[in-house]
Amino acid sequence: QVQLVESGGGLVQAGGSLRLSCAASGRTISVYVMAWFRQAPGKERELVAAISSGRNTYYADSVKGRFTISRDNNKNTAYLQMNSLKPEDTATYYCAATGRYALGLTRVDYDYWGQGTQVTVSS
């Protein structure tokens, strides 16, 4: 089992930055795909970014060029650096992990989830 705990969310003005962290415990994440999803009120949970064990990355079109996903296996932690934030980035952000796929792109690909951290971007 892998336990995931997100941190780093908060309230920020449009154009600002936040860095989310996802601390894992229970197992080393070095062989896992790590991902960030987000869910806004009334909307489906969507994949924002993912990073494989080999550090291949995927980004949703809506965040390309603004967000960067990374991982520090020594710290058993994944990160999401979010720059140039927009009000439409407002959502609860969830960290997820999977050992079943090389790079999961859908919610069902992921086995482990954190509780989420709220990101609110004011205009």
Side-chain angles (χ1 to χ4, degrees):
Q1 292 290 331
V2 177
Q3 292 79 44
L4 304 173
V5 178
E6 304 96 335
S7 62
L11 173 64
V12 64
Q13 289 188 333
S17 298
L18 284 174
R19 188 195 196 201
L20 305 183
S21 297
C22 172
S25 60
R27 290 185 179 177
T28 177
I29 65 167
S30 62
V31 297
Y32 285 82
V33 175
M34 302 299 295
W36 290 93
F37 286 74
R38 67 185 180 187
Q39 188 167 18
K43 295 189 176 181
E44 293 289 319
R45 192 172 298 190
E46 62 175 356
L47 177 64
V48 174
I51 184 167
S52 71
S53 59
R55 301 182 190 274
N56 293 318
T57 57
Y58 166 88
Y59 294 96
D61 287 343
S62 58
V63 306
K64 280 181 181 177
R66 300 189 298 123
F67 291 11
T68 302
I69 190 170
S70 61
R71 62 193 299 156
D72 185 336
N73 292 335
N74 291 329
K75 294 183 177 180
N76 230 30
T77 301
Y79 303 96
L80 185 68
Q81 178 66 43
M82 305 186 295
N83 299 329
S84 302
L85 282 161
K86 304 175 181 180
E88 51 263 44
D89 294 318
T90 295
T92 300
Y93 283 71
Y94 297 90
C95 178
T98 182
R100 294 185 287 126
Y101 297 96
L103 190 65
L105 297 182
T106 65
R107 182 176 179 176
V108 298
D109 294 338
Y110 290 84
D111 300 311
Y112 306 105
W113 293 86
Q115 293 300 308
T117 186
Q118 178 66 36
V119 171
T120 303
V121 184
S122 64
S123 57

